[in-house]
Coordinates of all heavy atoms in Angstrom, one line a residue:
M1 N 23.3 7.1 -18.6 CA 22.8 6.9 -17.2 C 21.2 7.3 -17.2 O 20.8 8.3 -18.0 CB 23.5 8.2 -16.4 CG 23.2 8.0 -15.0 SD 24.3 9.4 -14.2 CE 22.9 9.9 -13.0
S2 N 20.4 6.6 -16.6 CA 18.9 6.8 -16.6 C 18.6 7.8 -15.7 O 19.3 8.4 -14.7 CB 18.4 5.5 -16.2 OG 18.8 5.2 -14.8
K3 N 17.5 8.6 -16.0 CA 17.1 9.8 -15.4 C 16.5 9.4 -13.9 O 15.9 8.3 -13.7 CB 15.8 10.2 -16.2 CG 16.2 11.4 -17.1 CD 14.9 11.8 -17.8 CE 14.3 12.9 -17.1 NZ 13.1 13.6 -17.8
P4 N 16.8 10.3 -13.0 CA 16.4 10.0 -11.6 C 14.8 10.2 -11.7 O 14.3 10.8 -12.5 CB 17.0 11.0 -10.7 CG 17.8 12.0 -11.7 CD 17.7 11.5 -13.0
F5 N 14.2 9.6 -10.7 CA 12.6 9.6 -10.5 C 12.4 9.5 -9.1 O 13.1 9.1 -8.3 CB 12.0 8.7 -11.5 CG 12.1 7.2 -11.1 CD1 11.4 6.6 -10.3 CD2 13.3 6.7 -11.6 CE1 11.6 5.2 -10.0 CE2 13.5 5.2 -11.4 CZ 12.7 4.5 -10.5
I6 N 11.2 10.0 -8.7 CA 10.7 9.7 -7.3 C 9.5 8.8 -7.4 O 8.8 8.8 -8.3 CB 10.3 11.1 -6.7 CG1 9.2 11.8 -7.5 CG2 11.6 11.9 -6.3 CD1 8.7 13.1 -6.7
K7 N 9.3 8.1 -6.3 CA 8.3 7.1 -6.2 C 7.7 7.0 -4.9 O 8.5 7.2 -3.9 CB 9.0 5.8 -6.5 CG 7.9 4.7 -6.8 CD 8.7 3.4 -7.3 CE 7.8 2.1 -7.1 NZ 6.4 2.2 -7.6
N8 N 6.4 6.9 -4.7 CA 5.8 6.8 -3.4 C 5.8 5.4 -3.0 O 5.0 4.5 -3.5 CB 4.4 7.2 -3.5 CG 3.7 7.0 -2.1 OD1 4.3 6.8 -1.1 ND2 2.4 7.3 -2.1
H9 N 6.7 4.9 -2.1 CA 6.8 3.5 -1.8 C 5.8 3.0 -1.0 O 5.5 1.7 -0.9 CB 8.2 3.2 -1.2 CG 9.2 3.0 -2.4 ND1 9.4 1.9 -3.1 CD2 10.0 3.9 -2.8 CE1 10.4 2.1 -4.0 NE2 10.7 3.3 -4.0
M10 N 5.1 3.9 -0.4 CA 3.8 3.5 0.4 C 2.9 2.8 -0.4 O 2.2 1.7 0.0 CB 3.1 4.8 1.1 CG 2.3 4.4 2.2 SD 3.2 3.4 3.5 CE 3.6 4.7 4.7
E11 N 2.8 3.1 -1.8 CA 1.9 2.5 -2.7 C 2.3 1.0 -2.8 O 1.5 0.1 -2.8 CB 2.0 3.2 -4.0 CG 0.8 3.2 -4.8 CD 0.9 4.2 -6.0 OE1 1.3 5.4 -5.9 OE2 0.6 3.7 -7.2
D12 N 3.6 0.8 -3.2 CA 4.1 -0.6 -3.3 C 3.8 -1.5 -2.0 O 3.4 -2.6 -2.1 CB 5.5 -0.8 -3.4 CG 5.9 -0.3 -4.9 OD1 4.9 -0.1 -5.7 OD2 7.0 -0.2 -5.3
L13 N 4.0 -0.9 -0.8 CA 3.9 -1.6 0.5 C 2.3 -2.0 0.6 O 2.0 -3.1 1.1 CB 4.3 -0.7 1.7 CG 5.8 -0.3 1.6 CD1 6.3 0.5 2.6 CD2 6.7 -1.7 1.4
V14 N 1.5 -1.0 0.3 CA 0.1 -1.2 0.4 C -0.4 -2.3 -0.5 O -1.2 -3.3 0.0 CB -0.7 0.1 0.1 CG1 -2.2 -0.2 -0.3 CG2 -0.8 1.0 1.3
W15 N 0.1 -2.3 -1.8 CA -0.3 -3.5 -2.7 C 0.3 -4.8 -2.1 O -0.4 -5.8 -2.2 CB 0.3 -3.3 -4.0 CG -0.7 -2.2 -4.7 CD1 -0.3 -1.0 -5.2 CD2 -2.0 -2.3 -5.0 NE1 -1.3 -0.4 -5.8 CE2 -2.4 -1.2 -5.7 CE3 -3.0 -3.4 -4.9 CZ2 -3.7 -1.0 -6.2 CZ3 -4.3 -3.2 -5.4 CH2 -4.6 -2.0 -6.1
D16 N 1.5 -4.8 -1.5 CA 2.2 -6.0 -1.1 C 1.3 -6.7 0.1 O 1.2 -7.9 0.1 CB 3.5 -5.7 -0.3 CG 4.7 -5.7 -1.5 OD1 4.3 -6.0 -2.6 OD2 5.8 -5.4 -1.0
M17 N 0.7 -5.7 0.9 CA 0.0 -6.3 2.1 C -1.5 -6.4 1.8 O -2.1 -7.1 2.7 CB 0.2 -5.3 3.3 CG 1.6 -5.3 3.8 SD 1.8 -4.2 5.4 CE 0.7 -5.1 6.4
L18 N -1.9 -5.9 0.8 CA -3.4 -6.1 0.5 C -3.9 -7.7 0.6 O -4.8 -8.0 1.3 CB -3.8 -5.5 -0.8 CG -5.3 -5.4 -1.0 CD1 -6.1 -4.7 0.1 CD2 -5.5 -4.6 -2.3
P19 N -3.2 -8.6 -0.2 CA -3.7 -9.9 -0.2 C -3.8 -10.5 1.4 O -4.7 -11.2 1.6 CB -2.8 -10.7 -0.9 CG -2.0 -9.7 -1.7 CD -2.0 -8.3 -1.0
E20 N -2.8 -10.1 2.2 CA -2.9 -10.7 3.6 C -4.1 -10.1 4.4 O -4.7 -10.8 5.2 CB -1.5 -10.1 4.2 CG -1.1 -10.8 5.4 CD 0.2 -10.2 6.0 OE1 1.1 -9.9 5.0 OE2 0.3 -9.9 7.1
V21 N -4.4 -8.8 4.1 CA -5.6 -8.2 4.7 C -6.9 -8.8 4.2 O -7.8 -9.2 4.9 CB -5.6 -6.7 4.5 CG1 -6.9 -6.1 5.1 CG2 -4.3 -6.1 5.3
L22 N -7.0 -9.0 2.8 CA -8.3 -9.6 2.3 C -8.4 -11.0 2.8 O -9.6 -11.4 2.8 CB -8.0 -9.6 0.7 CG -8.2 -8.1 0.1 CD1 -8.0 -8.3 -1.4 CD2 -9.5 -7.5 0.3
E23 N -7.4 -11.6 3.1 CA -7.7 -13.2 3.7 C -8.5 -13.0 4.9 O -9.1 -14.0 5.2 CB -6.3 -13.7 4.0 CG -5.7 -14.6 2.9 CD -4.3 -15.1 3.3 OE1 -4.1 -15.4 4.5 OE2 -3.4 -15.3 2.4
K24 N -8.5 -12.0 5.5 CA -9.3 -11.8 6.8 C -10.6 -11.4 6.5 O -11.4 -11.3 7.5 CB -8.5 -10.8 7.8 CG -7.2 -11.1 8.1 CD -6.7 -10.2 9.3 CE -5.2 -10.6 9.7 NZ -5.0 -12.0 10.0
F25 N -10.9 -11.1 5.3 CA -12.4 -10.7 4.9 C -12.8 -11.8 3.8 O -13.0 -11.2 2.6 CB -12.4 -9.4 4.3 CG -12.1 -8.4 5.4 CD1 -10.7 -7.9 5.6 CD2 -13.1 -7.7 6.2 CE1 -10.4 -7.0 6.6 CE2 -12.8 -6.8 7.3 CZ -11.5 -6.3 7.4
P26 N -13.0 -13.0 4.1 CA -13.4 -14.1 3.0 C -14.6 -13.8 2.4 O -14.8 -14.2 1.3 CB -13.3 -15.3 3.8 CG -13.3 -15.1 5.3 CD -12.8 -13.6 5.5
D27 N -15.5 -13.1 3.1 CA -16.8 -13.0 2.6 C -17.0 -11.5 1.9 O -18.0 -11.4 1.2 CB -18.0 -12.7 3.7 CG -18.0 -14.1 4.6 OD1 -17.7 -15.1 4.1 OD2 -18.3 -14.1 5.7
A28 N -15.9 -10.7 1.9 CA -16.0 -9.5 1.1 C -15.6 -9.8 -0.4 O -15.3 -10.8 -0.8 CB -14.8 -8.6 1.7
C29 N -16.1 -8.7 -1.2 CA -15.8 -8.8 -2.6 C -14.4 -8.6 -2.8 O -13.9 -7.6 -2.4 CB -16.8 -7.8 -3.4 SG -16.5 -7.8 -5.1
H30 N -13.7 -9.4 -3.6 CA -12.3 -9.2 -3.9 C -12.0 -8.9 -5.3 O -11.0 -9.2 -5.8 CB -11.7 -10.6 -3.5 CG -11.5 -10.9 -2.1 ND1 -10.8 -11.9 -1.5 CD2 -12.0 -10.4 -1.0 CE1 -10.9 -12.1 -0.2 NE2 -11.6 -11.0 0.1
C31 N -13.0 -8.4 -5.9 CA -12.8 -8.0 -7.4 C -11.9 -6.8 -7.4 O -11.5 -6.0 -6.4 CB -14.1 -7.5 -8.0 SG -14.7 -5.9 -7.7
D32 N -11.4 -6.5 -8.6 CA -10.4 -5.5 -8.9 C -10.9 -4.0 -8.4 O -10.2 -3.3 -7.8 CB -10.0 -5.3 -10.5 CG -9.0 -6.4 -10.8 OD1 -8.5 -7.0 -9.9 OD2 -8.6 -6.3 -12.0
I33 N -12.2 -3.8 -8.6 CA -12.8 -2.4 -8.1 C -12.5 -2.4 -6.8 O -12.1 -1.4 -6.2 CB -14.2 -2.3 -8.7 CG1 -14.3 -2.4 -10.2 CG2 -14.8 -1.2 -8.2 CD1 -15.7 -2.5 -10.7
C34 N -13.0 -3.2 -6.0 CA -12.9 -3.2 -4.5 C -11.4 -3.1 -4.0 O -11.1 -2.4 -3.1 CB -13.7 -4.4 -4.0 SG -15.5 -4.3 -4.1
Q35 N -10.6 -3.9 -4.7 CA -9.2 -3.9 -4.2 C -8.6 -2.5 -4.5 O -7.8 -1.9 -3.7 CB -8.5 -4.9 -4.9 CG -8.6 -6.3 -4.7 CD -7.7 -7.3 -4.9 OE1 -6.6 -7.1 -4.9 NE2 -8.1 -8.6 -5.2
Y36 N -8.9 -1.9 -5.7 CA -8.4 -0.6 -5.9 C -9.0 0.5 -5.1 O -8.4 1.4 -4.5 CB -8.6 -0.2 -7.4 CG -7.5 -0.6 -8.3 CD1 -7.4 -2.0 -8.7 CD2 -6.5 0.2 -8.6 CE1 -6.4 -2.4 -9.5 CE2 -5.5 -0.2 -9.4 CZ -5.5 -1.4 -9.9 OH -4.4 -2.0 -10.7
D37 N -10.3 0.4 -4.7 CA -11.0 1.2 -3.7 C -10.4 1.1 -2.4 O -10.2 2.0 -1.7 CB -12.5 0.9 -3.6 CG -13.3 1.5 -4.8 OD1 -12.7 2.4 -5.5 OD2 -14.4 1.0 -4.9
I38 N -10.0 -0.1 -2.0 CA -9.5 -0.3 -0.6 C -8.0 0.3 -0.5 O -7.7 1.0 0.4 CB -9.3 -1.9 -0.2 CG1 -10.8 -2.4 -0.1 CG2 -8.5 -2.1 1.0 CD1 -10.9 -3.8 0.1
A39 N -7.2 0.0 -1.7 CA -5.9 0.6 -1.7 C -5.8 2.1 -1.7 O -5.1 2.7 -1.0 CB -5.2 0.1 -2.9
A40 N -6.8 2.7 -2.5 CA -6.8 4.2 -2.6 C -7.2 4.8 -1.3 O -6.5 5.7 -0.7 CB -7.8 4.6 -3.6
K41 N -8.2 4.1 -0.5 CA -8.7 4.6 0.8 C -7.5 4.6 1.8 O -7.2 5.5 2.6 CB -9.9 3.8 1.3 CG -10.8 4.6 2.1 CD -12.0 4.0 2.4 CE -13.3 4.7 1.8 NZ -13.4 6.1 2.0
A42 N -6.8 3.4 1.9 CA -5.8 3.2 2.8 C -4.6 4.3 2.4 O -4.1 4.8 3.4 CB -5.1 1.8 2.7
L43 N -4.3 4.4 1.2 CA -3.2 5.4 0.9 C -3.5 6.9 1.3 O -2.7 7.5 1.6 CB -2.8 5.3 -0.6 CG -2.1 4.1 -0.9 CD1 -2.1 3.8 -2.5 CD2 -0.7 4.3 -0.5
N44 N -4.9 7.2 1.1 CA -5.1 8.6 1.6 C -5.0 8.7 3.1 O -4.9 9.9 3.5 CB -6.6 8.8 1.2 CG -6.8 9.1 -0.1 OD1 -5.8 9.6 -0.7 ND2 -8.0 9.0 -0.7
S45 N -5.2 7.7 3.8 CA -4.9 7.9 5.3 C -3.4 7.7 5.8 O -3.2 7.8 7.0 CB -5.9 7.0 6.1 OG -5.5 5.6 5.9
L46 N -2.5 7.3 4.8 CA -1.2 7.1 5.2 C -0.4 8.2 4.6 O -0.6 8.8 3.7 CB -0.7 5.7 4.6 CG -1.4 4.4 5.2 CD1 -1.2 3.3 4.2 CD2 -0.6 4.1 6.5
Q47 N 0.8 8.4 5.4 CA 1.8 9.5 4.9 C 2.4 8.8 3.7 O 2.9 7.8 3.7 CB 2.8 9.7 6.0 CG 2.3 10.5 7.0 CD 2.4 12.1 6.8 OE1 3.0 12.5 5.7 NE2 1.8 12.8 7.5
P48 N 2.5 9.6 2.6 CA 3.3 9.1 1.5 C 4.8 9.0 1.9 O 5.3 9.7 2.6 CB 3.1 10.1 0.4 CG 2.7 11.4 1.1 CD 2.0 11.0 2.3
K49 N 5.5 8.0 1.3 CA 7.0 7.9 1.5 C 7.7 8.0 0.1 O 7.8 6.9 -0.5 CB 7.1 6.6 2.3 CG 6.6 6.5 3.6 CD 7.4 7.5 4.5 CE 6.6 7.8 5.8 NZ 6.8 9.1 6.3
Y50 N 7.9 9.2 -0.4 CA 8.6 9.3 -1.5 C 10.1 9.1 -1.4 O 10.7 9.5 -0.4 CB 8.5 10.8 -2.1 CG 7.1 10.8 -2.7 CD1 6.0 11.5 -1.9 CD2 6.8 10.4 -4.0 CE1 4.8 11.6 -2.5 CE2 5.5 10.5 -4.5 CZ 4.5 11.1 -3.8 OH 3.2 11.2 -4.4
V51 N 10.6 8.3 -2.2 CA 12.0 8.0 -2.2 C 12.6 8.4 -3.6 O 11.9 8.0 -4.7 CB 12.3 6.5 -2.0 CG1 13.8 6.2 -2.2 CG2 11.9 6.1 -0.7
A52 N 13.7 9.2 -3.7 CA 14.3 9.5 -4.9 C 15.2 8.4 -5.4 O 15.9 7.8 -4.6 CB 15.2 10.7 -4.7
H53 N 15.0 8.0 -6.7 CA 15.9 6.9 -7.2 C 16.9 7.4 -8.3 O 16.5 8.2 -9.0 CB 15.0 5.9 -8.0 CG 14.2 5.1 -7.1 ND1 14.4 3.8 -6.9 CD2 13.0 5.3 -6.5 CE1 13.6 3.3 -6.1 NE2 12.6 4.1 -5.8
H54 N 18.2 7.3 -8.0 CA 19.2 7.7 -8.9 C 20.4 6.8 -8.6 O 20.5 6.3 -7.4 CB 19.6 9.2 -8.6 CG 19.5 9.6 -7.3 ND1 20.6 9.4 -6.5 CD2 18.7 10.2 -6.6 CE1 20.3 9.8 -5.2 NE2 19.2 10.3 -5.2
K55 N 21.1 6.6 -9.6 CA 22.2 5.6 -9.6 C 21.7 4.3 -8.9 O 20.9 3.7 -9.4 CB 23.4 6.2 -8.8 CG 24.1 7.3 -9.5 CD 25.5 7.6 -8.9 CE 26.3 8.5 -9.9 NZ 27.6 8.8 -9.2
G56 N 22.3 3.8 -7.8 CA 21.9 2.6 -7.1 C 20.5 2.7 -6.6 O 20.3 3.8 -6.2
L57 N 19.8 1.7 -6.7 CA 18.4 1.6 -6.0 C 18.6 1.7 -4.6 O 19.8 1.3 -3.9 CB 17.7 0.4 -6.4 CG 17.0 0.8 -7.8 CD1 16.2 -0.5 -8.1 CD2 16.0 1.9 -7.7
V58 N 17.6 2.0 -3.7 CA 17.7 2.1 -2.4 C 17.0 1.1 -1.6 O 16.1 1.3 -0.8 CB 17.1 3.6 -1.9 CG1 18.2 4.5 -2.1 CG2 15.9 3.9 -2.6
Y59 N 17.3 -0.1 -1.9 CA 16.4 -1.3 -1.3 C 16.5 -1.4 0.2 O 15.6 -1.5 0.8 CB 17.1 -2.6 -1.8 CG 16.8 -2.8 -3.2 CD1 17.8 -3.0 -4.2 CD2 15.5 -2.9 -3.7 CE1 17.5 -3.2 -5.5 CE2 15.2 -3.3 -5.0 CZ 16.2 -3.3 -6.0 OH 15.9 -3.6 -7.3
T60 N 17.7 -1.0 0.7 CA 17.8 -1.0 2.2 C 16.7 -0.1 2.8 O 15.9 -0.4 3.8 CB 19.2 -0.5 2.7 OG1 20.0 -1.1 1.7 CG2 19.3 -1.0 4.2
R61 N 16.6 1.3 2.3 CA 15.7 2.1 2.7 C 14.2 1.7 2.6 O 13.3 1.8 3.5 CB 15.8 3.5 2.1 CG 16.7 4.4 3.0 CD 16.7 5.9 2.3 NE 15.5 6.6 2.7 CZ 15.2 7.6 2.0 NH1 16.0 8.1 1.2 NH2 14.2 8.5 2.5
I62 N 14.0 1.0 1.5 CA 12.7 0.5 1.3 C 12.3 -0.6 2.2 O 11.2 -0.5 2.8 CB 12.5 0.1 -0.1 CG1 12.7 1.3 -1.2 CG2 11.0 -0.6 -0.4 CD1 12.9 0.9 -2.5
S63 N 13.2 -1.5 2.5 CA 12.8 -2.6 3.5 C 12.7 -2.0 4.9 O 12.0 -2.6 5.8 CB 13.8 -3.8 3.5 OG 15.1 -3.4 3.9
E64 N 13.5 -0.9 5.3 CA 13.4 -0.3 6.5 C 12.0 0.3 6.6 O 11.3 0.2 7.6 CB 14.4 0.8 6.6 CG 15.7 0.3 7.2 CD 16.8 1.4 7.1 OE1 16.4 2.5 7.0 OE2 17.9 1.0 7.2
L65 N 11.5 0.8 5.5 CA 10.2 1.6 5.4 C 9.1 0.5 5.8 O 8.2 0.6 6.4 CB 10.0 2.2 4.2 CG 10.5 3.5 3.8 CD1 10.1 3.9 2.3 CD2 10.1 4.6 4.7
A66 N 9.3 -0.6 5.1 CA 8.4 -1.6 5.2 C 8.2 -2.1 6.7 O 7.2 -2.3 7.1 CB 8.7 -3.0 4.4
Q67 N 9.3 -2.3 7.4 CA 9.4 -2.6 8.7 C 8.8 -1.6 9.5 O 7.8 -2.0 10.4 CB 10.7 -2.9 9.2 CG 11.6 -4.0 8.7 CD 10.8 -5.3 9.0 OE1 10.5 -5.5 10.2 NE2 10.7 -6.3 8.1
Q68 N 9.1 -0.4 9.3 CA 8.6 0.5 10.2 C 7.2 0.8 10.1 O 6.5 1.2 11.1 CB 9.4 2.0 9.7 CG 9.5 3.0 10.6 CD 10.3 4.2 10.1 OE1 11.1 4.0 9.3 NE2 10.1 5.4 10.6
F69 N 6.7 0.7 8.9 CA 5.2 1.1 8.7 C 4.1 0.0 8.5 O 3.0 0.1 8.3 CB 5.1 2.0 7.5 CG 5.8 3.4 7.7 CD1 7.0 3.6 7.1 CD2 5.3 4.3 8.6 CE1 7.7 4.8 7.4 CE2 6.0 5.5 8.8 CZ 7.2 5.7 8.2
R70 N 4.7 -1.2 8.7 CA 3.9 -2.5 8.7 C 2.5 -2.4 9.4 O 1.4 -2.6 8.8 CB 4.6 -3.6 9.1 CG 4.5 -4.8 8.2 CD 5.2 -6.0 8.9 NE 4.3 -7.2 8.8 CZ 3.8 -7.8 7.6 NH1 4.4 -7.5 6.4 NH2 3.0 -8.7 7.8
T71 N 2.7 -2.0 10.7 CA 1.5 -1.9 11.6 C 0.6 -0.9 11.0 O -0.7 -1.1 11.0 CB 1.8 -1.7 13.0 OG1 3.0 -2.5 13.2 CG2 0.8 -2.0 13.9
D72 N 1.0 0.4 10.7 CA 0.3 1.5 10.2 C -0.5 1.0 8.9 O -1.7 1.2 8.8 CB 1.2 2.6 9.9 CG 1.7 3.3 11.0 OD1 1.2 3.0 12.1 OD2 2.5 4.2 11.0
I73 N 0.2 0.4 8.0 CA -0.4 0.0 6.7 C -1.5 -1.1 6.9 O -2.5 -1.0 6.4 CB 0.7 -0.5 5.8 CG1 1.7 0.5 5.4 CG2 0.0 -1.1 4.5 CD1 3.0 0.0 4.8
F74 N -1.2 -2.1 7.8 CA -2.2 -3.1 8.3 C -3.4 -2.5 8.8 O -4.5 -2.7 8.4 CB -1.6 -4.1 9.0 CG -2.1 -5.4 9.0 CD1 -1.6 -6.4 8.2 CD2 -3.2 -5.7 10.0 CE1 -2.3 -7.7 8.1 CE2 -3.8 -7.0 9.9 CZ -3.3 -8.0 9.0
T75 N -3.3 -1.5 9.7 CA -4.6 -0.8 10.3 C -5.2 -0.1 9.2 O -6.3 -0.2 9.1 CB -3.9 0.1 11.4 OG1 -3.2 -0.7 12.3 CG2 -5.1 0.6 12.2
A76 N -4.6 0.7 8.3 CA -5.3 1.4 7.4 C -5.9 0.6 6.2 O -7.1 0.9 6.1 CB -4.2 2.4 6.6
L77 N -5.3 -0.6 6.0 CA -5.9 -1.5 4.9 C -7.1 -2.2 5.6 O -8.2 -2.4 5.0 CB -5.0 -2.5 4.6 CG -4.0 -2.1 3.3 CD1 -2.9 -3.1 3.2 CD2 -4.8 -1.9 2.1
T78 N -7.0 -2.5 6.9 CA -8.1 -3.1 7.6 C -9.3 -2.2 7.7 O -10.6 -2.5 7.3 CB -7.8 -3.7 9.0 OG1 -6.7 -4.5 8.9 CG2 -8.8 -4.4 9.6
G79 N -9.0 -1.1 8.0 CA -10.1 0.0 8.1 C -10.8 0.3 6.7 O -12.0 0.3 6.6
A80 N -10.0 0.3 5.7 CA -10.5 0.6 4.3 C -11.3 -0.6 3.9 O -12.4 -0.4 3.3 CB -9.3 0.8 3.4
A81 N -10.8 -1.8 4.2 CA -11.4 -3.0 3.7 C -12.9 -3.1 4.5 O -13.8 -3.4 3.8 CB -10.7 -4.3 4.1
L82 N -13.0 -2.6 5.7 CA -14.1 -2.7 6.4 C -15.2 -1.9 5.9 O -16.4 -2.1 5.5 CB -14.1 -2.3 8.0 CG -13.6 -3.4 9.0 CD1 -13.1 -2.9 10.3 CD2 -14.8 -4.4 9.0
L83 N -14.7 -0.6 5.6 CA -15.7 0.4 4.9 C -16.1 0.0 3.5 O -17.4 0.1 3.3 CB -14.9 1.7 4.6 CG -14.8 2.6 6.0 CD1 -13.9 3.7 5.7 CD2 -16.2 3.1 6.2
I84 N -15.3 -0.5 2.7 CA -15.6 -0.8 1.3 C -16.5 -2.0 1.3 O -17.3 -2.2 0.5 CB -14.4 -1.0 0.5 CG1 -13.3 0.2 0.4 CG2 -14.6 -1.6 -0.9 CD1 -14.0 1.4 -0.3
T85 N -16.3 -3.1 2.3 CA -17.1 -4.3 2.3 C -18.3 -3.8 2.7 O -19.4 -4.5 2.0 CB -16.5 -5.1 3.5 OG1 -15.0 -5.5 3.0 CG2 -17.2 -6.4 3.6
K86 N -18.5 -2.9 3.6 CA -19.9 -2.5 4.0 C -20.6 -1.7 2.8 O -21.8 -1.7 2.8 CB -19.8 -1.6 5.2 CG -20.1 -2.5 6.5 CD -20.3 -1.5 7.7 CE -19.0 -1.5 8.5 NZ -19.1 -0.5 9.7
N87 N -19.9 -1.0 2.1 CA -20.4 -0.1 1.2 C -19.7 -0.1 -0.3 O -19.0 0.9 -0.6 CB -20.2 1.4 1.7 CG -21.2 2.3 1.0 OD1 -22.0 1.9 0.1 ND2 -21.1 3.6 1.4
P88 N -19.7 -1.2 -0.9 CA -19.0 -1.4 -2.2 C -19.4 -0.4 -3.1 O -20.6 0.1 -3.2 CB -19.1 -2.8 -2.7 CG -20.2 -3.3 -1.9 CD -20.5 -2.5 -0.7
S89 N -18.5 0.1 -4.0 CA -18.9 1.2 -5.1 C -19.5 0.6 -6.3 O -19.7 1.3 -7.3 CB -17.7 2.0 -5.4 OG -16.8 1.2 -6.0
H90 N -19.8 -0.7 -6.2 CA -20.5 -1.3 -7.4 C -21.7 -2.2 -7.1 O -21.8 -2.5 -5.9 CB -19.5 -2.0 -8.2 CG -18.9 -3.2 -7.6 ND1 -19.5 -4.5 -7.6 CD2 -17.8 -3.3 -6.9 CE1 -18.7 -5.3 -6.9 NE2 -17.7 -4.5 -6.4
Ligands
ZN101 ZN1 -16.1 -5.7 -5.7

């Protein structure tokens, strides 16, 4: 039996939605540094959603999370992208 672990699924959801948000900023820098800066900034403004993994995975809960927080994540990523675009760290 594999060891249980906890994971912040907000992190996965942010990475999933990042390309969609970046499409709206065609003039912004899309390099790895900027993408990580945007993801970190967005995650700091979002509530973490830790899910304990043990035995069966909890796909249902994760897709529910995605539905529930889609708008929040989109808003957080857009705000972060605006800031980083104006003031890239490189
Ligand atoms: Zn960049």
Side-chain angles (χ1 to χ4, degrees):
M1 198 179 133
S2 57
K3 269 179 89 175
F5 61 97
I6 55 169
K7 187 170 160 52
N8 177 12
H9 280 282
M10 200 52 101
E11 210 174 309
D12 284 355
L13 299 177
V14 158
W15 284 117
D16 278 356
M17 287 183 67
L18 186 56
E20 201 180 317
V21 172
L22 285 176
E23 268 179 29
K24 302 195 184 299
F25 295 87
D27 299 330
C29 179
H30 288 187
C31 77
D32 278 356
I33 296 172
C34 290
Q35 292 199 29
Y36 273 78
D37 280 345
I38 292 167
K41 205 168 245 323
L43 280 164
N44 279 336
S45 68
L46 290 159
Q47 283 279 346
K49 292 294 163 207
Y50 283 99
V51 175
H53 288 258
H54 42 78
K55 286 193 168 176
L57 280 176
V58 280
Y59 289 118
T60 323
R61 262 187 87 191
I62 295 160
S63 70
E64 271 169 23
L65 283 179
Q67 290 300 317
Q68 201 177 337
F69 294 106
R70 226 187 127 71
T71 315
D72 289 349
I73 298 166
F74 204 87
T75 306
L77 277 171
T78 304
L82 275 170
L83 277 170
I84 300 297
T85 302
K86 264 193 251 166
N87 198 7
S89 66
H90 63 85

